Amino acid sequence: MERILVSACLMGRRVRFDGRAKTSDDELLARWREEGRLVPFCPEVEGGLPVPRPPAEIEGGVGGAAVLSGAARVLTAEGGDVTKAFLAGAYAALNVARSMGIRIAILKEGSPSCGSLRIYDGNFRGTAVPGQGVTAALLEAHGIAVFGEDRIGDAARRLADLESSAVPPA
């Protein structure tokens, strides 16, 4: 059975920067949870950040790949550098995915860790720009398909493709 890495906040865990959850009521997620497929994970908490914590954005809104290469940092609105924690959390997510053979992740869109299609621009004004968070960029760079919570149907199609191409045991 394919397992799916999922942002812990989508599963009702109060791990977001503001101490809240962003619980998804998606029926597919509920079914996958019942099937035991989901592996909830919060890269920011696993990277050592507290709950609650100051909001953070990738400077310049340049995306997670730039953070991974050392060309950008993740900063709080007050200018605190939390890059190391974001990198530690991203690598922890990759290690969990690798250890469990995970090939799909459903992550919280817009997050500087988990955003798959959009993040915020680094100015703390609520302006979204195209881009990936640090964890999403790292997972995709290692062949793990990343989907936001608004693309669970796409994740389901990917899951079906993976399971239909699986070689049955001899």
Side-chain angles (χ1 to χ4, degrees), residues 98-138:
R98 283 180 165 168
S99 72
M100 300 184 85
I102 291 173
R103 300 187 285 176
I104 298 173
I106 298 172
L107 304 179
K108 179 70 187 104
E109 197 59 76
S111 160
S113 287
C114 297
S116 63
L117 295 177
R118 67 177 162 75
I119 56 172
Y120 291 96
D121 69 359
N123 292 316
F124 297 91
R125 294 187 192 127
T127 304
V129 295
Q132 290 183 310
V134 179
T135 298
L138 183 65

Side-chain angles (χ1 to χ4, degrees), residues 37-53:
R37 290 184 185 273
L38 301 182
V39 178
F41 193 89
C42 177
E44 294 172 26
V45 170
E46 292 299 322
L49 295 173
V51 177
R53 58 188 168 274

Side-chain angles (χ1 to χ4, degrees), residues 166-170:
V167 178

Side-chain angles (χ1 to χ4, degrees), residues 132-149:
Q132 290 183 310
V134 179
T135 298
L138 183 65
L139 293 176
E140 286 219 333
H142 287 86
I144 298 166
V146 178
F147 303 91
E149 75 277 12

